[in-house]
Each structure stands twice: as structure tokens, then as C-alpha cells.
């Protein structure tokens, strides 16, 4: 029974006047829509009681557009006009798409995103996705009996800006008001966290049709904190189908097959995979359009063998995510399984083995993301009950920092920091009388600016002239809840300030993030060496500057011979500083330091004398 | 003839009234709408109407307009928690059936 709240006089809401909000899991293989009814998240079924809507869109020659099971049933007859797994094309160019050669579509490369030529004309992935979303909207409005206020749509954690934007555009095209895009693993955590009231550190292992995501989440007192994320945006159940498909071709010794046959075989491959979830073997018998017969038997052993590398491929990002969170597998209290592909026994086994415990799957892995999205949508639509003010924390995927002298990166906010976050660090001037400072904001894990991604540059002017190292410039990095970074530089004595705003997580694709992370690990020792070299070079430059400035002021303190020696040391260091022999630079710096020690002492004495000149003892 | 508050409901009503800073009690009633014919009304009351019936339960005033009373007579207003959701619940002996969500009912 619904629970009522006390309204203001005359303001009692009529029943069923909740603002209708839904959560949509726009999946690669299947999509779902869910809502919250009387405090319970439920998946909305179609008129035949089916919860899943296959993410398949068919453009018919007669002008009709078919979505879901109907389209799926026709896919082997009309593969060119039946689009499956369109999510893989969202916000992607032709070169980004794997297995293009085995796809039956007529691709058209277009700037930004591919297009597909269908019998009804050229369609973009956004339009195709919009058909799926429209179908879900119609289903939701029919079952809820009213127009929707808005929807939360889930996306893989690593979707980049182009992919997220494409998803939003598709929703708008489908007549949906997007309340928020929510990361799929986070949605799963919401579904599990709220429904089960569990606390502790959890891993969300999400192997969907087309994407793999692993997230390490901390659930405590209704606060979700994403400790780290990782994944592979081109790995999913479809790849398992593809492996089986290739195995069938090989096993049945088939010549290259037509598009129709390829589609038919892929369907058979998927059926065989699903059969193996419950059974030890799956016969594959089919008559191809070419007249050939296929009659092979896929066993669990063979299936496990041919997909072993795919299973292993999920454990790499899993390890990395754990390492990022600073955790060992045994510190994970539970592993949440999401995505239909996690039903495969060898996945369950591999995950159980890695984490040393049986994974949690008490919610339907196909529905859990939609349920979480529905809960979030319900809150965002304003149907919140008193006390429902939980927080959702997210992390930044790559470190944020700025360029310091010598092209080095000073990390200000390390990656996987939870947002919102603000960090400040003090910097100083490098040269005497320096009145401006360039602030170059970069993102990445490498030590050198040239290996990181440049986000923004700005200048702080109006620093009062001071000797090098005396100015205090406070640089503050602030990332708000929407991932918007603002960097402020402020000179502490005058209060002069300059700032810039950037969106750090956007514009980087998952591949770029992954490769930047990988580079970071691979080049760690290399980078450490180069960093040490750059630091030595910067230090040497500073020493040369300081010596030359001292020589300009107090050259008379040196004899001709002494002066020649200092000049020699400076020249030697100047020659070495452009090279990459750090030891030689260090040695030359030592030599210069020794060679100027006496000079420095005399300068000190002179300065003391100057300061004391004409003053009586009492004045000091 | 009475409408009452459970202990939990009384505690929460008193609490809400105090937080709100005004109001003489709560108004319970019904109105016609919803999928099963009737819907409950639960509001703060700032003043009593002339025809209102006023009940006292656990030190709090409950106002009911005479047209609503037949439908909710004998009701105990309760406060319940379901998961993260919490709110008031009408334990109404007159109800014959209610819609799935319980927001509206029939007598």
C-alpha cells in the first residue's frame, strides 16, 4: 500500500499523480524500461509480458519501422535493413568499429559518426537508437497511463562525450526528456544498494552484449562512492557469439558465407551459447541459403576453450580497477553481476575464482541496471520521500595537473579522486622580477607534459616583481559534481587572480583513456628517468641564472683567475644542460657550486657590511 | 465514531506540526477520484470549518469533514516504513477493495 505524506491544506495530490519517470537501460543487445511504483522499482513489460526489448530495428521496404522481437525475427532474411547492436555505432566513426567486414550493413562514413544506408534511406545511429527509445516510451506511457515527465538513461561508464551526446540526442528524438545519463554499473549499485541495504566495498562486474565495465564501489549509509572504474567498450556477449560463429565456420568447413547466412549462423551461435548455460552441449543444425548443411555440436569444453581469452580479457581491467582502488580481491565484500552474459558458467567461475567468493546475482542481471535507473529517475523527477537524500559520488578518470618548468607535470588531483573535489597547491616564480605566469592545465598519468593531454592554458598577470622563488601563487583545481573543472591561480600578496573552466572527462574516448593509462604504467621507469633529467636541467638553469646575476652585481669580488674558473664552470654546465646525461649535469652543478662557494661567502660578507654600514651597535 | 492516531503516527504528526511552525492539527478525508473510486486526503489543518468534526487522539486534533466520515470512521492513521520509503497509512475498516497501489479505494 502506498504511503502518504501530509500535504499542505488543499494541496492533496490526486492519486496516480506522481510525476511519471522511468529508467531506461539502452543496451547493445536488449533494452528495458523500469519505473518506481509505490516505492518499488519494477521493470515494465510489453503487452505480451516480456520485459526485454531486443535492441533491433528493422526498416521495411514498405515504410514501416519494426523494433524488438519482430525485427529480430526477420533479421536473417533482411540483414541489411535490420540493425542490431546499434549502440556500438553511437558517436563512432567507421574506423572505430570492430568487425566491420563481417557486418551486413551498407556503411557510409560521415564526419563524426557513421551512417547506415537502409531501404528507407540513410539513417544515423542516433535515429536508429531513437526508434528503440520511442518504442520503450510508448510501452511506459501505456502501462503507466500518462505522459512521462522524464527518463534516466544508462550508458557504459566509459562512454565519451560524443557517445553520451549521441545517446541524449536519440532520447530527444524519441520525445523523452533526459533527466540524467547514468553510468550502468552505478545504476546496478543503486538497485542493489537500496534494495538490499548492503554496506561495504563491492565490485560491479558488468558484461553486457557489447561492453564490459568493472567498477569498485563503496556503499555506506546510503552513500555510493565509486572508488575506481575500468573496462573495455568493445567486449561483450556479442564477442562470444562471434567466437562461436567463427568456430562453426571452421568446424563445418564453410566457404565465405553470404550476409544472410552470416546472420543466420550468428543467431545459431547465440542460441548455442545460451543453451550451454543450462546444458553440457548444444547442437547446431542449420540449412544455409547456399544449400549447405551445418551439423556440429558445441560442448561446454570447446566453448570454454574458444572463449578463454575473452574471459581473461575481463580480468585485466578488473585487476587494474582493484589496484586503482588500492584493494586486494579479498577486501571485496561482494561482486554484483550485471548483464546477460554473466549467466555464462565460465564467467561465474572465473569471477568466483578471482574474488575468492561466489558472485551475487540475486537480482536479474538483465534488469538490475534498468531498476537502478528507475530509482534514480524517480528521485530526479521529484518523487522523493523525506530522508531520500542520498549522494552519488563519481571519480575522475585521469589525473589533472599543470605544467611546471622543464615541461614536467605536477599532478594536483590524482586520478580516481572522487568528485566534487578541490585541491590547491602553491607555486612560485622561476626568474627574478617575473610578473606573469602561464598556467597550462593537463590531464594524464605521464610525467612529461608532451605525453599528456592539454586541457587549457591561461595566464596570471600582475605578479609584483620579486626575486625568483619569493612569489606565492596558489593554484586551485576544483571539479564539481558534473565533472566541470575550474582552475584558479591567485597571487597571494596582491590577490591577483585568473581562472579557466574546462570539462576534463569529455572529449577523450575510452580508448584514449585506456591507452593513456597503459602508457603511464609502461613508461613509469622511463618517465622517472626523464623526470629526474628534466629536474636536473631545470635546477642547472636556475643555478646558471643565479650565478650570472651575482656576477653582474659583484664581479669585482673575484680575481681574474677566479672569474675565469667560474666562467669555465658556467660554460661547462651550459654545454651539458642541453644534453641528456643527468650525472654529468649533476657533476657540473657540483663543480659550479664549489667554484662559487668562496664567491658566495664574499658576497654574503659584503651584504652584511652594507647592511651594517653607518649603524651603531645599538641600532642592530 | 472516531478516527485515531497510532503512537508512531502521533509522534510524526506532532513532529511535522512543530517543524511547520503552525497548524492546529491534521485533516483526514476522502475525495472521489483514482482508479478505485475514492482517495484519501491527508493535510495539515490551519483552521477548523464550522461543520468539522474534531477528534482528539494522543493529544492531537484530527479534523474530519462530515461527508468524509462515513468512509473513514474507525480508521487508525499509522506511520510505516517500507524500505527507504516512509509515510502514513490509513488502517480503514470500511475498505472493501483498493487499487494495486493502495492510493485509492472503494467502500
Amino acid at each position: 500500500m502506498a504511503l502518504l505524506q501530509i500535504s499542505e491544506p488543499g494541496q492533496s495530490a490526486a492519486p496516480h499523480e506522481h510525476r511519471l519517470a522511468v529508467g531506461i537501460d539502452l543496451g547493445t543487445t536488449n533494452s528495458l524500461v523500469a519505473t518506481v511504483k509505490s516505492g518499488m522499482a519494477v521493470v515494465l513489460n510489453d503487452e505480451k509480458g516480456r520485459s526485454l526489448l531486443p535492441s533491433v530495428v528493422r526498416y521495411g521496404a514498405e515504410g514501416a519501422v519494426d523494433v524488438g522481437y519482430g525485427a529480430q525475427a526477420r533479421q536473417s532474411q533482411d540483414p541489411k535493413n535490420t540493425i542490431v547492436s546499434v549502440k556500438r555505432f553511437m558517436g563512432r566513426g567507421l574506423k572505430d568499429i570492430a568487425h566491420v567486414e563481417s557486418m551486413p550493413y551498407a556503411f557510409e562514413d560521415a564526419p563524426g559518426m557513421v551512417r547506415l544506408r537502409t531501404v528507407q534511406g540513410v539513417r544515423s545511429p542516433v535515429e536508429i537508437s531513437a526508434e528503440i527509445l520511442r518504442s520503450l516510451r510508448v510501452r511506459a506511457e501505456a502501462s503507466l497511463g500518462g505522459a512521462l515527465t522524464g527518463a534516466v538513461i544508462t550508458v557504459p561508464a566509459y562512454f565519451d562525450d560524443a557517445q553520451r551526446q549521441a545517446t541524449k540526442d536519440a532520447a530527444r528524438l524519441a520525445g523523452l526528456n533526459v533527466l540524467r545519463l547514468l553510468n550502468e554499473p552505478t545504476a546496478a549499485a543503486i538497485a542493489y544498494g537500496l534494495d538490499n541495504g548492503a554496506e561495504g566495498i563491492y565490485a560491479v562486474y558488468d558484461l553486457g552484449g557489447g561492453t564490459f565495465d568493472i567498477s569498485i564501489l563503496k556503499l555506506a549509509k546510503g552513500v555510493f562512492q565509486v572508488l575506481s572504474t575500468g573496462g573495455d567498450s568493445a567486449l561483450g556477449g556479442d564477442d562470444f557469439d562471434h567466437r562461436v560463429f567463427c568456430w562453426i565456420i571452421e568446424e563445418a568447413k564453410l566457404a565465405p558465407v553470404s550476409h544472410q547466412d552470416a546472420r543466420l549462423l550468428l543467431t545459431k551461435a547465440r542460441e548455442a551459447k545460451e543453451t550451454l548455460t543450462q546444458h553440457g552441449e548444444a547442437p547446431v543444425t542449420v540449412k544455409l541459403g547456399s544449400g549447405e548443411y551445418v551439423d556440429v555440436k558445441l560442448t561446454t569444453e570447446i566453448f570454454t576453450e574458444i572463449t578463454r581469452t575473452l574471459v581473461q580479457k575481463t580480468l585485466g581491467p578488473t585487476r587494474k580497477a582493484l589496484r586503482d582502488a588500492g584493494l586486494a580481491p579479498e577486501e571485496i565484500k561482494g561482486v554484483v553481476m550485471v548483464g546477460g552474459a554473466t549467466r555464462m558458467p565460465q564467467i561465474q567461475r572465473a569471477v568466483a575464482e578471482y574474488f575468492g567468493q561466489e558472485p551475487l546475482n540475486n537480482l536479474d542481471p538483465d534488469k538490475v541496471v534498468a531498476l537502478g535507473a528507475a530509482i534514480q529517475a524517480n528521485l530526479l523527477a521529484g518523487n522523493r520521500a523525506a530522508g531520500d537524500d542520498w549522494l552519488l559520488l563519481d571519480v575522475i578518470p585521469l589525473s589533472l595537473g599543470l605544467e611546471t618548468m622543464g615541461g614536467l607535470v605536477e599532478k594536483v588531483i590524482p586520478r580516481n579522486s572522487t568528485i566534487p573535489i578541490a585541491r590547491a597547491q602553491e607555486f612560485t616564480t622561476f626568474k627574478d622580477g617575473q610578473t606573469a605566469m602561464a598556467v597550462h592545465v593537463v590531464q594524464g598519468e605521464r610525467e612529461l607534459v608532451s605525453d599528456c593531454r592539454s586541457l587549457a592554458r591561461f595566464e596570471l598577470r600582475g605578479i609584483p616583481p620579486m626575486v625568483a622563488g619569493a612569489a606565492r601563487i596558489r593554484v586551485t583545481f576544483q571539479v564539481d559534481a558534473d565533472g566541470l573543472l575550474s582552475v584558479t591561480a591567485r597571487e597571494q600578496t596582491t590577490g591577483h587572480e585568473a581562472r579557466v573552466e574546462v570539462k576534463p572527462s569529455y572529449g577523450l574516448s575510452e580508448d584514449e583513456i585506456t591507452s593513456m593509462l597503459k602508457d603511464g604504467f609502461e613508461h613509469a621507469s622511463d618517465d622517472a628517468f626523464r623526470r629526474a633529467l628534466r629536474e636536473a636541467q631545470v635546477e642547472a638553469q636556475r643555478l646558471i641564472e643565479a650565478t650570472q646575476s651575482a656576477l653582474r652585481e659583484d664581479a669585482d669580488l673575484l680575481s681574474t683567475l677566479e672569474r675565469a674558473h667560474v666562467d669555465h664552470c658556467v660554460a661547462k654546465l651550459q654545454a651539458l644542460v642541453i644534453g641528456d646525461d643527468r650525472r654529468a649535469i649533476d657533476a657540473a652543478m657540483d663543480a659550479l657550486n664549489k667554484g662559487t662557494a668562496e664567491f658566495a661567502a664574499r658576497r654574503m660578507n659584503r651584504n652584511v657590511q652594507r647592511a651594517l654600514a653607518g649603524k651603531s651597535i645599538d641600532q642592530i | 465514531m472516531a478516527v485515531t492516531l497510532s503512537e508512531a503516527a502521533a509522534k510524526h504528526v506532532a513532529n511535522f506540526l512543530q517543524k511547520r511552525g503552525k497548524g492546529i492539527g491534521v485533516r483526514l478525508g476522502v475525495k472521489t477520484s483514482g482508479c478505485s473510486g475514492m482517495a484519501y486526503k491527508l493535510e495539515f489543518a490551519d483552521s477548523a470549518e464550522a461543520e468539522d468534526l474534531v477528534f482528539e487522539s494522543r493529544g492531537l486534533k484530527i479534523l474530519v469533514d462530515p461527508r468524509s466520515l462515513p468512509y473513514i470512521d474507525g480508521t487508525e492513521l499509522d506511520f510505516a516504513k517500507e524500505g527507504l520509503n516512509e509515510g502514513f497509512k490509513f488502517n480503514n475498516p470500511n475498505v472493501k477493495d483498493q487499487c494495486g497501489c493502495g492510493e485509492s479505494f472503494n467502500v
Side-chain angles (χ1 to χ4, degrees):
Chain A
M1 144 141 205
L3 298 172
L4 303 172
Q5 309 299 326
I6 309 178
S7 312
E8 285 299 304
Q11 304 272 303
S12 276
H16 315 291
E17 249 187 28
H18 283 308
R19 274 169 282 190
L20 302 176
V22 293
I24 292 178
D25 176 4
L26 184 60
T28 307
T29 318
N30 292 301
S31 297
L32 295 97
V33 58
T35 194
V36 174
K37 279 183 182 169
S38 305
M40 281 281 292
V42 287
V43 168
L44 300 172
N45 293 341
D46 66 5
E47 66 281 5
K48 289 186 179 153
R50 300 173 297 202
S51 57
L52 298 180
L53 177 75
S55 303
V56 183
V57 178
R58 177 173 172 268
Y59 292 94
E62 64 292 345
V65 180
D66 212 356
V67 181
Y69 287 101
Q72 197 177 43
R74 304 282 298 276
Q75 71 180 44
S76 51
Q77 296 156 32
D78 189 13
K80 189 172 161 252
N81 297 307
T82 309
I83 322 303
V84 298
S85 301
V86 66
K87 188 172 173 181
R88 283 193 189 275
F89 312 146
M90 292 290 271
R92 292 273 143 171
L94 191 56
K95 60 179 187 336
D96 302 321
I97 300 168
H99 306 309
V100 167
E101 65 290 344
S102 66
M103 287 180 187
Y105 312 122
F107 284 109
E108 211 170 75
D109 208 1
M113 211 185 307
V114 292
R115 301 276 192 279
L116 287 86
R117 270 197 307 279
T118 73
V119 69
Q120 290 187 27
V122 176
R123 289 284 182 274
S124 82
V126 168
E127 293 170 280
I128 300 164
S129 296
E131 295 294 348
I132 301 168
L133 289 170
R134 190 172 295 125
S135 175
L136 292 172
R137 177 174 68 94
V138 169
R139 178 195 291 192
E141 290 183 344
S143 87
L144 297 176
L148 300 179
T149 305
V152 165
I153 299 174
T154 60
V155 290
Y158 274 112
F159 251 27
D160 66 18
D161 188 42
Q163 292 165 302
R164 283 169 199 266
Q165 197 54 51
T167 307
K168 266 191 174 173
D169 291 346
R172 210 167 22 239
L173 211 53
L176 284 166
N177 168 33
V178 182
L179 298 168
R180 184 173 292 180
L181 295 181
L182 185 64
N183 287 339
E184 286 158 8
T186 309
I190 290 173
Y192 267 96
L194 292 190
D195 289 353
N196 302 353
E199 296 210 344
I201 295 167
Y202 286 78
V204 181
Y205 181 103
D206 179 354
L207 189 61
T211 53
F212 171 65
D213 281 295
I214 179 84
S215 306
I216 309 298
L217 304 162
K218 189 174 175 186
L219 311 185
K221 297 187 176 65
V223 176
F224 294 90
Q225 189 181 3
V226 183
L227 297 180
S228 65
T229 62
D232 187 336
S233 69
L235 176 66
D238 291 355
D239 297 288
F240 288 76
D241 298 351
H242 199 258
R243 285 281 162 95
V244 175
F245 166 78
C246 291
W247 175 84
I248 295 173
I249 298 228
E250 223 171 82
E251 191 69 9
K253 300 188 177 55
L254 296 176
V257 293
S258 68
H259 285 329
Q260 264 99 344
D261 287 346
R263 178 55 60 72
L264 187 60
L265 284 172
L266 264 174
T267 308
K268 290 289 171 190
R270 192 179 60 242
E271 285 170 8
K273 175 190 76 175
E274 285 168 3
T275 305
L276 287 181
T277 299
Q278 305 288 346
H279 303 91
E281 55 181 50
V284 181
T285 50
V286 60
K287 184 184 181 223
L288 297 180
S290 61
E292 289 170 284
Y293 279 98
V294 173
D295 187 6
V296 292
K297 196 176 278 173
L298 181 65
T299 64
T300 302
E301 289 72 38
I302 297 169
F303 184 48
T304 305
E305 191 52 43
I306 61 176
T307 59
R308 188 180 302 278
T309 51
L310 293 176
V311 176
Q312 283 306 317
K313 237 174 135 180
T314 68
L315 294 181
T318 304
R319 265 182 222 111
K320 195 184 285 176
L322 272 178
R323 200 163 52 218
D324 288 348
L327 295 165
E330 41 305 343
E331 287 174 86
I332 301 298
K333 194 175 162 197
V335 186
V336 175
M337 297 300 255
V338 182
T342 61
R343 291 202 182 89
M344 282 187 274
Q346 72 264 45
I347 294 279
Q348 297 270 347
R349 258 199 317 277
V351 171
E353 208 170 287
Y354 180 71
F355 286 100
Q357 61 180 305
E358 287 305 314
L360 294 173
N361 35 27
N362 52 331
L363 291 182
D364 185 332
D366 277 324
K367 294 180 179 170
V368 57
V369 167
L371 294 176
I375 294 168
Q376 178 85 351
N378 191 48
L379 290 179
L380 290 173
N383 295 328
R384 72 175 66 203
D388 269 4
D389 49 350
W390 42 271
L391 225 72
L392 190 56
L393 299 175
D394 225 330
V395 297
I396 50 168
L398 290 167
S399 302
L400 297 166
L402 47 79
E403 174 173 355
T404 60
M405 276 309 292
L408 294 171
V409 178
E410 181 72 30
K411 284 174 192 164
V412 179
I413 300 184
R415 89 190 164 95
N416 280 328
S417 297
T418 51
I419 54 175
I421 186 173
R423 285 268 177 93
Q425 210 156 315
E426 277 200 2
F427 293 87
T428 187
T429 47
F430 180 75
K431 284 200 175 188
D432 291 346
Q434 182 179 339
T435 57
M437 186 162 141
V439 180
H440 182 198
V441 184
V442 296
Q443 180 176 37
E445 304 313 309
R446 302 287 299 273
E447 300 280 359
L448 300 186
V449 168
S450 50
D451 297 322
C452 289
R453 180 170 178 266
S454 168
L455 289 177
R457 284 171 195 274
F458 66 99
E459 263 184 26
L460 174 67
R461 299 192 162 275
I463 303 172
M466 287 184 240
V467 294
R472 277 164 49 236
I473 293 134
R474 194 173 175 80
V475 178
T476 309
F477 276 56
Q478 190 169 351
V479 183
D480 69 13
D482 292 325
L484 191 78
L485 167 72
S486 56
V487 180
T488 313
R490 183 188 167 90
E491 203 288 310
Q492 295 292 77
T493 51
T494 59
H496 272 292
E497 205 177 89
R499 60 183 279 129
V500 70
E501 288 193 350
V502 261
K503 260 190 177 162
S505 54
Y506 293 145
L508 269 187
S509 75
E510 190 263 325
D511 289 349
E512 282 174 292
I513 291 179
T514 318
S515 80
M516 285 171 90
L517 283 177
K518 218 165 77 191
D519 276 4
F521 290 121
E522 280 170 7
H523 294 93
S525 61
D526 196 22
D527 274 4
F529 167 76
R530 282 158 77 191
R531 183 177 187 101
L533 173 65
R534 287 293 174 91
E535 278 171 355
Q537 287 171 331
V538 170
E539 182 59 22
Q541 283 295 359
R542 200 195 53 74
L543 190 59
I544 292 167
E545 294 258 346
T547 309
Q548 283 170 340
S549 138
L551 284 173
R552 274 194 299 275
E553 277 174 36
D554 296 310
D556 58 305
L557 287 172
L558 294 172
S559 69
T560 320
L561 197 67
E562 286 166 332
R563 173 68 193 253
H565 179 65
V566 171
D567 281 345
H568 169 73
C569 290
V570 169
K572 195 170 168 202
L573 186 55
Q574 268 174 330
L576 285 167
V577 80
I578 46 173
D580 57 3
D581 187 344
R582 183 166 66 87
R583 283 175 204 285
I585 296 171
D586 283 344
M589 272 199 284
D590 269 355
L592 179 56
N593 271 326
K594 282 206 190 83
T596 55
E598 177 59 26
F599 178 44
R602 284 182 210 162
R603 291 191 72 211
M604 181 82 83
N605 283 339
R606 171 181 278 185
N607 284 334
V608 171
Q609 275 164 13
R610 272 187 196 139
L612 299 183
K615 291 184 181 170
S616 71
I617 289 288
D618 306 340
Q619 282 175 293
I620 301 165
Chain B
M1 283 233 311
V3 175
T4 56
L5 298 174
S6 74
E7 196 185 328
K11 206 177 99 205
H12 281 92
V13 168
N15 196 8
F16 286 137
L17 279 170
Q18 195 201 337
K19 270 197 209 150
R20 191 167 168 265
K22 59 174 180 174
I24 56 168
V26 284
R27 176 179 298 280
L28 270 62
V30 293
K31 53 186 176 183
T32 51
S33 70
C35 50
S36 291
M38 302 270 191
Y40 292 115
K41 202 160 83 172
L42 178 61
E43 297 174 354
F44 291 110
D46 285 333
S47 59
E49 302 295 325
E51 71 272 22
D52 277 344
L53 295 149
V54 181
F55 302 98
E56 280 252 352
S57 176
R58 298 179 197 268
L60 293 159
K61 279 198 171 66
I62 305 169
L63 292 78
V64 180
D65 85 87
R67 285 179 302 279
S68 291
L69 191 63
Y71 302 106
I72 57 171
D73 194 12
T75 292
E76 184 198 49
L77 187 69
D78 194 12
F79 190 87
K81 224 176 176 162
E82 288 171 5
L84 273 193
N85 196 4
E86 54 182 18
F88 294 92
K89 207 170 179 172
F90 282 71
N91 289 329
N92 185 352
N94 306 298
V95 173
K96 287 201 192 69
D97 54 39
Q98 59 181 25
C99 79
C101 63
E103 273 187 67
S104 59
F105 64 97
N106 208 349
V107 292

